[in-house]
Amino acid sequence: DQEIEDSLFRQAECLSRNLEKHLLANHLWANAKALLLAGYFFRGETAQKWRLEGRKLLKAQLQEQFLPDGGHVERSPMYHLILLEDCLDLLSLLPEKDPLQQDIREVTGRALRFLAGILLPDGRIPLLGDSAWGQGPAASQIFAYARRCGFSVEELPHEGMFVAPDSGIARLQVGDWC
């Protein structure tokens, strides 16, 4: 529908002039994702500019948002789930030839391992930072999505110890105790 496309174009144009660089973090991440996808949806010089700007921002944000151990920089498992879903969305929607694909795939692998390592025995995220249950996708949904994107993931938490040194998070499970 042309009216909807015109509205989306105007919104992307407005977003490109009003990126949330003052807030950074997941706000700028969401802006960059929207800009990149709008750049692929539309054609022309403006769309190409959005695509380049979105890709540049996302490339930088991938390194800022995800620590080397795969955890989210704010140490919030809830944000971790939300941004991990965004990574899977990008892998699903971006053309395979997009230069960002490999970077996203590498970060997503680390983030999936981190998620599997921190889960509670019931499969939910721990309530660290400003996390809350039900505010993002469930870990089981993320793992199913990741499998559809070609990742091999271990969904259930396991006994033993998991340590994420960059995030400062450790998990120990022995029997029913976690």
Side-chain angles (χ1 to χ4, degrees):
D1 177 289
Q2 193 59 50
E3 188 175 333
I4 292 172
E5 280 192 31
D6 291 345
S7 175
L8 286 173
F9 189 89
R10 287 190 307 275
Q11 290 176 58
E13 202 168 36
C14 181
L15 174 64
S16 73
R17 291 189 310 270
N18 296 288
L19 297 171
E20 295 178 274
K21 291 182 178 179
H22 60 292
L23 293 175
L24 300 172
N26 56 321
H27 296 266
L28 186 56
W29 168 274
N31 293 173
K33 178 186 173 193
L35 210 55
L36 179 60
L37 294 177
Y40 271 112
F41 182 78
F42 293 102
R43 301 284 177 251
E45 191 175 310
T46 301
Q48 182 178 355
K49 186 177 82 173
W50 296 340
R51 202 166 43 247
L52 293 173
E53 179 68 12
R55 187 181 298 118
K56 182 179 91 176
L57 287 169
L58 274 174
K59 187 168 179 69
Q61 287 301 305
L62 274 171
Q63 301 313 311
E64 293 220 8
Q65 295 296 311
F66 291 96
L67 300 169
D69 62 19
H72 184 261
V73 69
E74 292 186 46
R75 279 63 168 191
S76 168
M78 180 184 72
Y79 286 151
H80 185 85
L81 286 170
I82 293 168
L83 269 69
L84 188 48
E85 183 178 46
D86 284 343
C87 286
L88 293 167
D89 286 345
L90 288 164
L91 288 172
S92 297
L93 296 170
L94 292 178
E96 285 185 29
K97 65 180 176 13
D98 188 289
L100 203 50
Q101 276 274 358
Q102 186 57 37
D103 293 335
I104 296 170
R105 188 161 285 287
E106 189 275 323
V107 167
T108 300
R110 284 187 291 143
L112 287 165
R113 286 188 294 280
F114 176 87
L115 178 60
I118 66 166
L119 290 179
L120 300 173
D122 63 5
R124 292 186 298 175
I125 58 170
L127 297 178
L128 302 173
D130 60 354
S131 291
W133 293 321
Q135 297 303 305
S140 60
Q141 293 171 310
I142 292 296
F143 290 132
Y145 193 0
R147 281 191 289 279
R148 290 191 305 273
C149 291
F151 288 92
S152 174
V153 294
E154 182 180 330
E155 187 167 337
L156 296 175
H158 50 81
E159 281 204 20
M161 180 172 263
F162 171 79
V163 178
D166 302 304
S167 299
I169 295 174
R171 178 189 179 280
L172 174 64
Q173 182 175 336
V174 179
D176 293 336
W177 292 89
C178 180

